[in-house]
Amino acid sequence: MKSFSKFVLCCCLVFSGINLFAAEQPNIIYIMTDDLGYGDLGCFGQKVIETPNIDRMAAEGMRFTNHYAGHTVCRPSRLVLWLGKHCGNTGLIGNRSRLLQPEEITVAELLKAKGYKTGGVGKWALGNVNEPNEVNNVGHPNNNGFDYWYGYLNQGTAHNFYPPFLWENKTQVTLPGNVLMQDPQARGRVSSQRVSYSHDFMTTAAFDFVRANQENPFLLHIHWTIPHANNEGGRVLGDGMEIPDYGIYADRDWPNPEKGFAGMIAHMDRDVGRLFALLKELNLDEKTLVIFTSDNGPHEEGGHKHEFFDSNGPLKGYKRSMHEGGIRVPMIARWPGKVKAGAESDLPSAFWDFLPTACEVASVEIPENIDGISYLPTLLGRNAQQKRHDYLFWASQEGETEIGMRHEQWKLVKYRSKKKKNSKSDQQSEEDWRLYHLENDLGEETNISSKHPEIVNKMKKMLEDDGLLSLDTSR
């Protein structure tokens, strides 16, 4: 009954669509990398690692300089993307187990009901499969709007870039030559024999999906796992940055994990170039909106140090931080003939804005019970028509910060409470709210909460009015 209700709702939203692009039904490709920092791309200031294809994408499209991930870590960030709701309204604020539920409407379901073919490759984090007999769960991508999915159905096993198998829909597909290490500390996530690189298989599947659906409007999510670390590989082997070869960085006088990190980004950048070549070959270039981003800030795992390449650029913090470095991510949109080449936008936007944007592109009515705002007007250069958020919000059970909020140029960060020193009681210290002005202090170096208590109170009141101050952010 729930599935039927979901179908009826999707149909109702579609049939009352706004028909902005109804005649042409553009394709949408959403590329999400894993743990790529704001400063890891040349077009966002990277000085060492070369990203010529992504830089060309930026030159031919629009850079969003104030775009934010859904969360500071993977699973809740992706849930925000699918549902168009910030994490305060999804019920997930940490990397906890979570299945998408039948009553939850994803962007893929909305576009599928409009006639789009829907596909995805990479890491799926919301329909976890530990054993093959668990594949028929409600959170599986095929049960949440995706006609096709190829990749991982387990967030933990996605650490391994050389797994013994991947999933094609609900079928295991063997990757030749990969054999798991037996060391118990590897937790079944490190391979001792490495032949088949998962990224390459997922990329091939993505390109095959484009070819197979070139005559249909399609939505394709490419959720590459690069440049995430193999965390277990880092612990067992001292190097979790898995890549077939270091490429042009092989002779650099760097630690191997840093060669691997740079090699991963180069490998991914190459495939961005291959994707655009394929779109031109199939005459789909001008019919396709391509968005590129990352699921959260840069990591410090697998032997990699985020400072080595200045992965967070001018920002403070990294993965698991509510400071800008943990949540502000690179975002580029390219759509020849629609998005002006070389454009740049400082519109504060976030993952929960993708669902309404995709709906507006596909001429599907935007659902009412979401937090997102379509940024299509900005993409089309119609800035006067662009609606803006009153605030952006994040809550987390990860790391030392538990709440982040942006209102205009004000940034409010709440640090996790700690027990008072020399105290045997369970009494907690006073709440630690820190305020920054991003226009004057992008690096969040100076806490000005004591100078502007009225701003702190105003922002907290906004959260209180929306029931967001009562969230349980305990670990």
Side-chain angles (χ1 to χ4, degrees):
M1 181 60 70
K2 287 183 179 179
S3 296
F4 177 74
S5 298
K6 180 189 281 193
F7 172 76
V8 171
L9 177 58
C10 288
C11 289
C12 290
L13 290 169
V14 166
F15 294 150
S16 57
I18 58 178
N19 296 317
L20 183 62
F21 295 108
E24 56 187 23
Q25 287 195 294
N27 306 311
I28 303 172
I29 298 177
Y30 191 91
I31 304 172
M32 178 192 287
T33 55
D34 204 329
D35 293 2
L36 183 80
Y38 189 83
D40 278 328
L41 304 175
C43 52
F44 279 82
Q46 176 56 225
K47 303 300 183 184
V48 179
I49 302 173
E50 298 178 19
T51 54
N53 293 296
I54 298 172
D55 296 348
R56 188 178 307 115
M57 179 185 180
E60 296 174 353
M62 177 180 289
R63 286 193 321 131
F64 280 67
T65 58
N66 281 266
H67 189 69
Y68 292 87
H71 201 269
T72 68
V73 291
C74 176
R75 186 178 279 122
S77 190
R78 293 161 195 266
L79 181 61
V80 162
L81 179 74
W82 300 133
L83 300 183
K85 300 179 181 181
H86 63 62
C87 65
N89 289 325
T90 63
L92 186 67
I93 58 174
N95 260 339
R96 308 297 188 263
S97 180
R98 171 71 148 82
L99 301 180
L100 272 167
Q101 296 301 304
E103 64 272 17
E104 294 177 313
I105 309 297
T106 69
V107 62
E109 288 173 293
L110 292 166
L111 268 64
K112 181 177 179 178
K114 183 67 173 180
Y116 274 67
K117 296 295 183 181
T118 55
V121 304
K123 179 166 69 175
W124 181 263
L126 294 152
N128 196 59
V129 178
N130 287 306
E131 300 294 337
N133 61 9
E134 298 175 338
V135 73
N136 290 307
N137 66 68
V138 295
H140 190 283
N142 291 158
N143 297 330
N144 290 278
F146 284 93
D147 297 313
Y148 179 80
W149 189 273
Y150 182 96
Y152 298 91
L153 295 180
N154 182 302
Q155 183 166 306
T157 58
H159 292 180
N160 187 0
F161 286 79
Y162 292 92
F165 65 86
L166 292 172
W167 290 94
E168 186 171 35
N169 297 319
K170 297 183 180 181
T171 302
Q172 280 191 356
V173 178
T174 300
L175 297 193
N178 296 342
V179 179
L180 291 176
M181 182 181 294
Q182 296 305 307
D183 189 323
Q185 294 188 54
R187 302 174 63 194
R189 299 173 181 178
V190 185
S191 290
S192 56
Q193 296 183 37
R194 305 176 180 183
V195 176
S196 298
Y197 197 55
S198 62
H199 170 94
D200 295 338
F201 283 75
M202 294 186 296
T203 300
T204 296
F207 292 177
D208 288 347
F209 178 87
V210 172
R211 291 190 181 93
N213 293 285
Q214 59 183 291
E215 302 299 330
N216 311 299
F218 63 80
L219 168 70
L220 172 62
H221 281 261
I222 301 176
H223 286 205
W224 282 321
T225 51
I226 283 174
H228 197 292
N230 186 331
N231 302 54
E232 288 77 16
R235 297 184 192 110
V236 175
L237 303 173
D239 183 358
M241 307 311 298
E242 299 179 342
I243 188 73
D245 61 74
Y246 297 141
I248 63 172
Y249 306 107
D251 295 331
R252 298 295 181 96
D253 185 21
W254 300 341
N256 282 347
E258 306 304 349
K259 293 181 183 179
F261 182 83
M264 279 181 156
I265 292 178
H267 204 83
M268 173 266 294
D269 179 79
R270 176 205 67 181
D271 289 336
V272 170
R274 292 174 60 212
L275 172 64
F276 286 123
L278 176 62
L279 294 177
K280 288 182 179 180
E281 173 193 330
L282 300 177
N283 296 315
L284 297 177
D285 206 34
E286 295 186 359
K287 286 186 61 176
T288 306
L289 166 63
V290 183
I291 295 173
F292 178 97
T293 190
S294 174
D295 67 342
N296 48 246
H299 70 77
E300 185 146 305
E301 298 162 354
H304 167 63
K305 302 297 182 183
H306 79 273
E307 300 100 332
F308 195 88
F309 297 111
D310 195 20
S311 288
N312 54 3
L315 309 179
K316 178 179 181 177
Y318 53 101
K319 183 178 180 180
R320 294 183 177 84
S321 173
M322 286 294 176
H323 287 288
E324 295 289 284
I327 48 178
R328 192 187 292 208
V329 291
M331 205 267 262
I332 305 166
R334 179 186 181 274
W335 190 2
K338 298 291 193 303
V339 174
K340 183 180 178 181
E344 180 178 302
S345 174
D346 62 359
L347 174 75
S349 57
F351 273 20
W352 50 99
D353 297 327
F354 174 68
L355 183 148
T357 303
C359 284
E360 195 168 9
V361 169
S363 298
V364 175
E365 185 176 8
I366 298 170
E368 293 182 356
N369 62 335
I370 63 170
D371 301 307
I373 297 174
S374 171
Y375 45 73
L376 182 60
T378 293
L379 291 176
L380 300 180
R382 302 171 184 172
N383 295 330
Q385 301 174 20
Q386 180 64 59
K387 296 180 180 179
R388 290 174 172 258
H389 290 283
D390 290 334
Y391 64 85
L392 302 175
F393 172 81
W394 303 264
S396 180
Q397 296 168 313
E398 311 270 343
E400 64 177 356
T401 54
E402 55 183 316
I403 290 179
M405 178 186 184
R406 174 168 174 170
H407 168 59
E408 297 173 347
Q409 287 297 325
W410 298 103
K411 177 71 180 297
L412 189 63
V413 176
K414 182 184 179 185
Y415 273 69
R416 203 168 300 282
S417 297
K418 298 178 181 179
K419 291 182 179 181
K420 289 183 176 180
K421 293 182 179 180
N422 303 320
S423 174
K424 296 181 180 180
S425 71
D426 291 332
Q427 185 178 8
Q428 299 291 308
S429 61
E430 292 183 2
E431 291 185 341
D432 186 358
W433 292 89
R434 306 183 190 183
L435 181 69
Y436 308 89
H437 193 274
L438 296 177
E439 186 175 7
N440 301 327
D441 182 18
L442 181 59
E444 296 171 286
E445 296 177 354
T446 305
N447 172 20
I448 53 176
S449 59
S450 62
K451 294 182 178 180
H452 297 281
E454 77 286 358
I455 299 296
V456 175
N457 291 333
K458 174 187 175 182
M459 294 175 71
K460 289 173 66 177
K461 182 64 165 55
M462 295 169 76
L463 298 183
E464 184 178 19
D465 290 345
D466 288 340
L468 297 172
L469 277 184
S470 59
L471 290 175
D472 182 6
T473 56
S474 59
R475 301 188 208 189

